[in-house]
Amino acid sequence: MPKVTREHRTARRDQIVSAAQRCVNERGFHKTTMADVIRESGLSAGAVYSYFKSKEEIVSAIADQALSTIAESFEGILATEQPLTPLAALRATLEHVVRIAEQPGGDITRVAPQAWAEAMHNESSLSIAQDKYGLLRGHFLAVTRRAQADGTVDPDIDPEYIAQVLFGLVPGFVLQRLILGDVTPESFTTGLAALLK
Amino acid sequence: MPKVTREHRTARRDQIVSAAQRCVNERGFHKTTMADVIRESGLSAGAVYSYFKSKEEIVSAIADQALSTIAESFEGILATEQPLTPLAALRATLEHVVRIAEQPGGDITRVAPQAWAEAMHNESSLSIAQDKYGLLRGHFLAVTRRAQADGTVDPDIDPEYIAQVLFGLVPGFVLQRLILGDVTPESFTTGLAALLK
């Protein structure tokens, strides 16, 4: 038996996550079964279960994949040497969201509303969503603190409140993009800039 | 047989909608069946089906119930004689959302993520969600036009873009309230006001 390398394991895991994403996008989280994911992945049941015990774990992995690229995007945002504005940070984030949504393999952002829905009546999904939300909002908290230090945002306001608003704009953008289909990072940040004037 | 009055029909319809809301909040949209709704409502299957043909129709009615009170709330917001600001309109809307969420009978806002999820892979749910979203954003468009006329918002920016942002803050607030539980109309509008300075 050949030795299974770490690269091989990662590639297989990605193969399962991509298969699950296609299933969820096509028929929804609830109608997707582990058997569907196994079939779509082209791997054996034993192989798939050795990576993921349940659909919830796979959806969590889909979210992690998107979130890790978002974390990198925030590193880039925070690396700027100019005074950082919340508007620039939001715009870069929305552009990143659209970029990953338009990758081949299906729009990953369509999984998000299904994860939110599941969190409404499933304790373990709620706890997963709380972790991801906490992480994402943490990035906006870092942006806010930096903007307060740079003097582009009032330093006397609790940065958590400002992070709530900046982070809150992301699902608001994602949902309008998925449901009404007419928002773009350009239109959204133009609208926000008009309010900030 | 007694004549069925319009009041009687409305009361029965409300009874079914409330029963459905309890079911969806408890076990989720997907696990809720028409049989569950019938049992929970205490009415006969024939009676329930004479009002609603499917779960999708009932969820649409739950949303309509919430949206009609929101429409009234916007009438109040637009009736002010002072110059209208987007911040005041958003705050009034979020306070209204929390008020209806805290009504007895279960948090109606928990149905929203399930409607969004369903819209991701069900054409008729998508079309319902588009209608409701269009309506809601229309209220913020009216607010924006009024604010532009009042001089509190730059009149040279496309009001649709500004409405996208204001409306986008609502699901962003609702989701953080449901998932992280730490946002309030006060914290959220304080954060937004800090950005607007």
Side-chain angles (χ1 to χ4, degrees), chain B residues 92-129:
Chain B
T93 305
L94 299 182
E95 283 169 351
H96 182 78
V97 165
V98 171
R99 214 175 302 124
I100 58 176
E102 290 176 347
Q103 270 172 3
D107 185 340
I108 199 169
T109 65
R110 292 180 63 204
V111 178
Q114 312 206 45
W116 301 331
E118 197 59 15
M120 294 301 108
H121 55 93
N122 174 330
E123 275 300 320
S124 79
S125 295
L126 176 61
S127 141
I128 291 169

Side-chain angles (χ1 to χ4, degrees), chain A residues 20 23 45 95 103 129 153 188 197:
Chain A
C23 292
E95 283 169 352
Q103 271 173 3
V153 166
F188 211 69
K197 267 208 262 193

Side-chain angles (χ1 to χ4, degrees), chain A residues 45-182:
Chain A
V48 171
Y49 276 102
S50 79
Y51 293 85
F52 299 105
K53 298 282 160 279
S54 65
K55 283 197 295 178
E56 283 79 6
E57 282 187 19
I58 308 185
V59 167
S60 175
I62 295 173
D64 283 338
Q65 219 172 41
L67 289 175
S68 72
T69 72
I70 287 178
E72 282 168 33
S73 162
F74 272 99
E75 276 173 32
I77 292 166
L78 290 164
T80 176
E81 284 174 24
Q82 296 178 321
L84 182 60
T85 66
L87 190 65
L90 184 73
R91 181 167 188 141
T93 305
L94 299 183
E95 283 169 352
H96 182 77
V97 166
V98 171
R99 215 175 302 125
I100 57 176
E102 291 176 347
Q103 271 173 3
D107 186 340
I108 199 169
T109 66
R110 294 179 62 204
V111 178
Q114 312 205 47
W116 302 331
E118 197 59 16
M120 295 301 107
H121 55 92
N122 173 330
E123 276 300 321
S124 78
S125 295
L126 176 61
S127 142
I128 291 169
Q130 285 169 336
D131 286 352
K132 317 288 185 217
Y133 257 45
L135 266 173
L136 252 180
R137 207 167 74 185
H139 293 308
F140 281 108
L141 187 60
V143 162
T144 302
R145 290 199 162 117
R146 163 74 188 272
Q148 287 180 320
D150 287 355
T152 62
V153 166
D154 183 346
D156 293 332
I157 305 295
D158 187 336
E160 295 276 2
Y161 295 172
I162 296 169
Q164 287 176 359
V165 172
L166 292 174
F167 168 55
L169 285 162
V170 180
F173 173 82
V174 167
L175 275 171
Q176 283 181 84
R177 182 178 165 276
L178 291 172
I179 291 177
L180 294 174
D182 59 356

Side-chain angles (χ1 to χ4, degrees), chain B residues 13-21 24 29 32-38 41 48-49 51-65 111 128 132:
Chain B
R13 198 175 180 281
D14 288 349
Q15 192 177 344
I16 299 165
V17 171
S18 302
Q21 196 190 316
V24 170
F29 177 78
T32 297
T33 63
M34 284 296 274
D36 292 330
V37 176
I38 290 159
S41 72
V48 171
Y49 277 101
Y51 292 86
F52 299 104
K53 298 283 161 277
S54 66
K55 283 197 295 177
E56 283 80 5
E57 282 187 20
I58 309 185
V59 167
S60 176
I62 294 174
D64 283 338
Q65 221 173 40
V111 178
I128 291 169
K132 317 288 186 218

Side-chain angles (χ1 to χ4, degrees), chain B residues 2 10 107 144:
Chain B
T10 304
D107 185 340
T144 303

